Amino acid sequence: MKKFVFASVIAMVALSFNASFSQRVEARSGDVAVLSGQKIVNVEYDYSSFGVGKFATEQEYLDKKAAEYNAKESGKGDAWKKAWIDDRKSRFEPKFEELFNKGMEDKGLQIVQSRPDAAYTMIVRTKFVEPGFNVGVMRRNAYIDYEIDVVQSNNKSGKVAELGMRNVPGAVAFGMDFDTGARLAESYAKAGKTLAAFLEKKLK
């Protein structure tokens, strides 16, 4: 019994450490100080190139899963594939922006889509997705890797700053995340909140 309790404590400490580490923002190049004093920053999302789980590309993953669902029930895979894409606009991006903007309230800075008049643009790139799973008796969190580029809106070819976040977890409280989209949405929310906390400390 003592061994079990000890092992459980060690596991909890390890998970806590990993979660803390995974939510760190890595400043890879440039300087985010250019955002000081900005009120509106344009935000764009890039899903053009990322792997999913054991699949090298998103397309491989979508084709495989859609075929499996369609084999079980005609049209189910097609509906699932559409929902996977639609979640970006309906769930992921709103979650990211909501938590980021809430965290930056004291700085008076907001990220807003379709604002080319803003001096700077933040490009949020999804680089890797682990969807996780929840089958009731067993579950695993989703994880996403992000790359965030800050560029001048009138010259997006040059990066002002590049940031990264790895293994940002996504899970719904009390394990109520049987839907893949719900888990992934929570990762985007966590990413927005974590990025805001990082910038809040960096900007004057």
Side-chain angles (χ1 to χ4, degrees), residues 23 95 99 165 168-170 185-195:
Q23 293 168 38
K95 280 281 191 178
L99 271 293
M165 287 185 283
V168 180
E186 288 306 307
S187 175
Y188 282 90
K190 178 74 71 176
K193 182 178 180 179
T194 302
L195 181 60

Side-chain angles (χ1 to χ4, degrees), residues 91 133-134 136 139 141 171-183 186:
R91 303 168 88 174
F133 63 86
N134 188 339
R139 67 173 310 282
N141 287 352
V172 177
F174 308 112
M176 301 304 291
D177 53 10
F178 300 99
D179 174 47
T180 300
R183 293 191 296 274
E186 288 306 307

Side-chain angles (χ1 to χ4, degrees), residues 16-185:
S16 176
F17 174 81
N18 288 337
S20 175
F21 179 80
S22 67
Q23 293 168 38
R24 290 176 54 187
V25 176
E26 177 187 357
R28 296 176 178 172
S29 66
D31 189 353
V32 296
V34 296
L35 298 180
S36 293
Q38 299 297 315
K39 299 301 181 184
I40 297 293
V41 173
N42 184 47
V43 62
E44 298 177 358
Y45 299 87
D46 184 344
Y47 307 94
S48 62
S49 178
F50 63 93
V52 182
K54 64 181 181 180
F55 297 89
T57 67
E58 179 195 25
Q59 193 60 53
E60 291 178 58
Y61 173 73
L62 293 180
D63 290 346
K64 175 73 171 177
K65 294 291 288 185
E68 290 176 351
Y69 283 132
N70 279 333
K72 295 179 180 179
E73 181 183 329
S74 179
K76 183 178 180 179
D78 299 325
W80 170 85
K81 189 174 182 178
K82 183 179 185 300
W84 171 275
I85 301 298
D86 290 348
D87 277 347
R88 297 171 180 177
K89 288 294 183 184
S90 65
R91 303 168 88 174
F92 304 163
E93 295 168 19
K95 280 281 191 178
F96 183 90
E97 292 164 26
E98 177 189 355
L99 271 293
F100 179 91
N101 289 338
K102 183 176 181 180
M104 295 301 293
E105 283 180 349
D106 288 346
K107 295 295 182 182
L109 185 152
Q110 284 190 321
I111 53 172
V112 181
Q113 294 192 48
S114 302
R115 287 295 301 267
D117 57 309
Y120 295 97
T121 293
M122 181 184 295
I123 303 174
V124 181
R125 305 184 193 278
T126 298
K127 302 303 295 180
F128 176 79
V129 172
E130 167 50 59
F133 63 86
N134 188 339
V135 293
V137 294
M138 294 181 63
R139 67 173 310 282
R140 181 170 66 193
N141 287 352
Y143 289 92
I144 302 178
D145 293 349
Y146 302 89
E147 181 180 282
I148 299 95
D149 293 340
V150 179
V151 301
Q152 292 182 342
S153 295
N154 60 3
N155 180 27
K156 295 180 182 178
S157 60
K159 297 180 184 180
V160 175
E162 180 182 325
L163 309 172
M165 287 185 283
R166 296 183 64 251
N167 299 329
V168 180
V172 177
F174 308 112
M176 301 304 291
D177 53 10
F178 300 99
D179 174 47
T180 300
R183 293 191 296 274
L184 298 180

